[in-house]
């Protein structure tokens, strides 16, 4: 045999072997459920499970003709490579910190069947009982878009699905490689409980060509809604359209868009078991779009967990707000208005402001509502006022350092003290008390306090107060009001107090300071001098 003939036979054998080699297979399962109780079956909502709450249970799905081929020319009937599939997804999820959720999905194909696979290079039908690709899921709420279960408004999250090649690729139950799919979730919950959700992302898959159809990277999408039917009983309706758009295709191949429409009912049971069942149909836009689909799930959320409590609160319809009633038009509504028929400011509970002492400071802000503040007052209080057996001043008197000279800034206060005494002639006598802090000696502080108290008495007498109605006494540092170890405490202890003395029926007793002064100045009796004997010394003669 010539070498050229040998090369021809070898090339023919290689071409025959290549033609008989079957195409690389892929995972045809379009139904990939989400394991959280409020996810819309295959469309994810944004809210993660509550912290350390778990959800677990099975998802059963049945699809009719999930993988079919239509011969060219349409002369032959459709070939169902996978004519039916019954799949179980065992799922579990856990929430973390109310911000994230992680889960796992273990698919198991319980039964499947179809036509002979000789058209794609193998004999017999597809293998029936096989594992699918193990899938790990994750969800993280977007800051500012984290919504509670019973809350309303916008919600957002990012998700990530990672599938491991644990499935049997020859049985169309796995992709044979690691695949991953990040996605963005945006949804809105209305006050009446209706939820609208939108998903979109990217699905990284290995590039395959199967029966002249390109299978590779895809862009999954999903739009779903949940509508309460009997919200108090936890019964809702769910509906969704989901699928994926192929990002690669052969030149003369129509773009593959496997998609399906699903609707169903859901019951959030108070026992912690949540039931969902429904079905739908595919669009026929791809070789892997099922004709019909059915699904059911039983997810368990342990009772008394935070997630169970959140779902129970979701079942409570919002209480209708009573219509606002504001007959007086003051913007204080209902029971909050203490004077519903008379307008008043919000700060006064809807009642008009009053000014008992007519000093221009309303009573709710007046610290002395029964005494007018006058032109020099503060917070509705005069600079000086009578309070029981005392004349109270708003600010302490100021003296020159270590002296008894009153500074001019304190003159208005003493003038107000004089006014109070002149307006209250029944006040028989006022004791002006001088006090100091603990700096310097006892003797020094006692003397300074006496001199300052006496200086105040002189000012009041010059302001028109009768001298016999005033007494002064210094106490030095013997009567502190606060701790002298701090500047604030020493400032409180340096003070002048005005104490009203009880009236006397007879002559006024002497002032305490006068009595002390007379005691100090009382002459002491001295013994008579003893005359000294005179002695005369002899005179010394002068030189």
């Amino acid at each position: 045999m010539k070498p050229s003939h040998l090369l021809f036979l070898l090339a023919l054998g290689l071409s025959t072997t290549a033609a008989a080699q079957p195409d690389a297979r892929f995972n045809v399962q379009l139904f990939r459920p989400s394991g959280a109780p409020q996810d819309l079956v295959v469309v994810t909502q944004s809210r993660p499970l509550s912290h350390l709450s778990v959800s677990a249970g099975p998802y059963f799905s049945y699809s009719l003709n999930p993988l079919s081929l239509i011969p060219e020319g349409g002369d032959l009937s459709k070939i169902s490579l996978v004519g039916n599939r019954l799949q179980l997804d065992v799922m579990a999820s856990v929430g973390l910190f109310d911000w994230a959720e992680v889960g796992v999905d273990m698919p198991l194909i319980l039964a499947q069947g179809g036509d002979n696979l000789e058209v794609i290079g193998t004999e017999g039908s597809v293998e029936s009982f096989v594992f699918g690709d193990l899938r790990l899921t994750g969800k993280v709420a977007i800051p500012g878009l984290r919504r509670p279960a019973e809350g309303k408004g916008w919600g957002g999250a990012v998700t990530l699905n990672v599938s491991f090649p644990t499935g049997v690729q020859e049985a169309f139950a796995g992709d044979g490689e690691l695949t991953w799919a990040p996605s963005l979730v945006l949804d809105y919950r209305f006050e009446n409980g209706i939820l609208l959700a939108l998903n979109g992302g990217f699905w990284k898959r290995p590039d395959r060509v199967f029966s002249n159809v390109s299978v590779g990277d895809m862009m999954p999408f999903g739009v779903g809604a949940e509508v309460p039917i009997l919200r108090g009983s936890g019964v809702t309706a769910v509906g969704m359209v989901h699928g994926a758009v192929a990002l690669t295709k052969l030149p003369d191949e129509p773009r593959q868009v496997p998609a399906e429409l699903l609707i169903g009912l859901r019951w959030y049971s108070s026992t912690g078991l949540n039931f969902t069942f429904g079905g739908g149909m595919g669009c026929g836009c791809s070789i892997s779009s099922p004709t019909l689909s059915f699904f059911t799930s039983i997810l368990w959320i342990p009772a008394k967990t935070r997630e169970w409590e959140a779902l129970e609160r979701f079942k409570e319809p919002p209480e209708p707000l009573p219509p606002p009633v504001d007959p007086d038009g003051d913007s204080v509504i209902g029971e909050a208005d203490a004077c519903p028929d008379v307008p008043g400011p919000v700060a006064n509970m809807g009642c008009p402001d009053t000014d008992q002492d007519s000093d221009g400071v309303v009573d709710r802000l007046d610290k002395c509502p029964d005494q007018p503040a006058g032109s020099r007052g503060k917070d509705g209080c005069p600079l000086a006022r009578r309070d029981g057996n005392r004349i109270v001043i708003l600010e302490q008197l100021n003296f020159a350092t270590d002296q008894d000279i009153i500074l001019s800034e304190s003159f208005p206060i003493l003038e107000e003290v004089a006014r109070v005494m002149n307006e209250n002639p029944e006040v028989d006598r006022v004791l002006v008390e001088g006090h100091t802090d603990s700096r310097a000696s006892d003797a020094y502080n006692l003397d300074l306090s006496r001199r300052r108290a006496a200086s105040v008495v002189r000012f009041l007498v010059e302001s028109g107060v009768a001298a016999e109605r005033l007494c002064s006494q210094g106490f030095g540092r013997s009567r502190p009001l606060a701790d002298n170890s701090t500047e604030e405490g020493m400032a409180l202890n340096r003070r002048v107090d005005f104490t009203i003395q009880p009236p006397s029926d007879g002559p006024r007793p002497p002032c305490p300071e006068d009595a002390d002064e007379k005691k100090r100045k009382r002459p002491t009796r001295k013994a008579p001098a003893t005359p000294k004997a005179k002695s005369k010394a002899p005179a010394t003669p002068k030189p």
Side-chain angles (χ1 to χ4, degrees):
M1 180 179 296
K2 295 182 179 181
S4 60
H5 293 169
L6 180 61
L7 291 175
F8 174 78
L9 292 176
L10 180 60
L12 180 62
L14 290 175
S15 62
T16 305
T17 303
Q21 183 71 24
D23 289 341
R25 303 183 185 184
F26 63 100
N27 189 356
V28 301
Q29 185 68 10
L30 182 60
F31 184 86
R32 298 180 179 219
S34 297
Q38 287 195 303
D39 284 349
L40 305 181
V41 187
V42 289
V43 176
T44 305
Q45 53 87 35
S46 67
R47 189 185 73 86
L49 288 173
S50 301
H51 180 53
L52 296 183
S53 296
V54 297
S55 171
Y59 252 100
F60 292 94
S61 60
Y62 176 82
S63 55
L64 184 64
N65 295 323
L67 179 61
S68 300
L69 297 179
I70 300 177
E72 294 182 2
D75 297 334
L76 300 176
S77 60
K78 181 170 59 177
I79 302 172
S80 296
L81 301 179
V82 181
N84 55 78
R85 172 178 284 186
L86 176 63
Q87 179 167 315
L88 166 64
D89 285 84
V90 180
M91 310 191 72
S93 302
V94 61
L96 300 174
F97 310 108
D98 294 326
W99 279 93
E101 173 187 312
V102 293
V104 61
D105 172 19
M106 183 65 244
L108 176 63
I109 297 170
L110 302 178
Q112 67 178 351
D115 295 336
N116 197 309
L117 302 180
E118 62 181 353
V119 295
I120 58 172
T122 60
E123 189 67 29
S125 59
V126 65
E127 186 177 354
S128 178
F129 185 86
V130 293
F131 283 100
D133 284 346
L134 175 68
R135 183 164 57 103
L136 298 183
T137 63
K139 180 193 299 183
V140 178
I142 298 175
L145 293 176
R146 184 170 65 94
R147 188 191 62 249
E150 68 280 13
K152 63 178 182 178
W154 290 101
V158 291
T159 65
L160 176 65
N161 292 348
V162 179
S163 297
F164 297 88
T166 59
V168 179
Q169 185 179 357
E170 291 301 308
F172 300 99
D175 280 318
E177 294 182 16
L178 181 75
T179 65
W180 47 273
S183 182
L184 176 66
V185 178
L186 187 65
D187 58 17
Y188 187 86
R189 175 81 72 178
F190 294 89
E191 188 173 0
N192 59 9
I194 295 177
L195 174 70
L196 300 179
L198 175 65
N199 295 179
F202 173 75
W203 186 3
K204 178 61 179 177
R205 305 181 71 183
D207 291 331
R208 303 269 198 270
V209 176
F210 180 81
S211 189
N212 296 322
V213 174
S214 177
V215 179
D217 296 342
M218 308 190 83
M219 186 174 69
F221 64 87
V223 179
E226 181 180 29
V227 180
I229 298 177
L230 299 173
R231 185 170 182 177
S233 300
V235 178
T236 65
V238 293
M240 68 226 69
V241 174
H242 76 105
V245 179
L247 299 180
T248 60
K249 71 181 190 69
L250 298 177
D252 297 329
E253 171 200 354
R255 189 174 298 276
Q256 299 288 304
V257 186
E260 60 181 344
L261 167 68
L262 300 174
I263 57 175
L265 290 176
R266 172 171 290 172
W267 177 32
Y268 296 105
S269 167
S270 297
T271 63
L273 294 175
N274 296 334
F275 303 89
T276 307
F277 64 92
M281 61 183 66
C283 67
C285 308
S286 169
I287 61 173
S288 57
S289 289
T291 305
L292 292 174
S293 295
F294 302 93
F295 61 89
T296 185
S297 70
I298 305 174
L299 294 180
W300 176 61
I301 298 91
K304 305 304 180 182
T305 60
R306 294 177 60 185
E307 183 66 18
W308 179 86
E309 292 173 352
L311 293 177
E312 288 298 297
R313 290 194 301 270
F314 165 74
K315 290 159 59 175
E316 299 174 0
E319 296 182 2
L321 297 176
V325 178
D326 187 14
D328 54 9
D330 59 0
S331 300
V332 185
I333 299 172
E335 296 181 356
D337 196 339
C339 302
D341 300 324
V342 182
V346 176
N348 204 35
M349 299 180 64
C351 291
D353 278 320
T354 57
D355 186 6
Q356 180 180 341
D357 53 13
S358 302
D359 61 357
V361 182
V362 296
D363 290 339
R364 61 185 170 85
L365 302 177
D366 198 334
K367 295 182 178 179
C368 304
D370 56 348
Q371 298 185 38
S375 60
R376 298 173 177 175
K378 182 180 179 181
D379 297 329
C381 291
L383 290 179
R385 70 184 189 279
R386 182 177 179 180
D387 186 5
N389 69 332
R390 296 171 59 83
I391 296 178
V392 180
I393 57 178
L394 281 183
E395 301 174 359
Q396 276 300 337
L397 302 180
N398 293 323
F399 296 85
T401 303
D402 293 332
Q403 301 181 49
D404 58 5
I405 300 174
I406 304 171
L407 299 182
S408 59
E409 61 198 49
S410 296
F411 291 174
I413 299 175
L414 290 177
E415 291 171 357
E416 284 294 296
V417 173
R419 178 189 62 78
V420 171
M421 291 192 65
N422 290 330
E423 290 179 355
N424 293 271
E426 72 279 4
V427 174
D428 192 54
R429 179 174 285 176
V430 172
L431 176 62
V432 180
E433 303 176 4
H435 302 272
T436 66
D437 56 35
S438 63
R439 289 180 293 188
S441 65
D442 287 345
Y444 176 86
N445 282 312
L446 183 61
D447 178 68
L448 179 62
S449 64
R450 285 173 173 170
R451 289 189 287 113
R452 286 182 172 179
S455 181
V456 171
V457 169
R458 288 194 298 271
F459 188 99
L460 293 177
V461 171
E462 293 174 359
S463 299
V465 180
E468 61 271 15
R469 299 177 65 197
L470 295 166
C471 288
S472 67
Q473 186 173 4
F475 293 91
R477 61 183 186 180
S478 63
R479 297 184 180 182
L481 292 178
D483 189 354
N484 275 304
S485 63
T486 65
E487 289 294 332
E488 294 80 3
M490 288 190 291
L492 290 174
N493 293 331
R494 295 190 300 269
R495 69 191 188 279
V496 174
D497 292 337
F498 300 88
T499 303
I500 300 173
Q501 302 297 297
S504 59
D505 296 333
R508 292 187 180 98
C511 290
E513 194 80 348
D514 295 341
D516 292 344
E517 190 69 22
K518 289 179 180 180
K519 185 177 180 181
R520 288 195 305 272
K521 293 181 178 182
R522 181 181 302 167
T524 58
R525 186 180 299 275
K526 296 182 179 179
T530 303
K532 294 182 179 180
K534 296 182 179 181
S535 60
K536 294 183 179 181
T540 303
K542 295 182 180 179

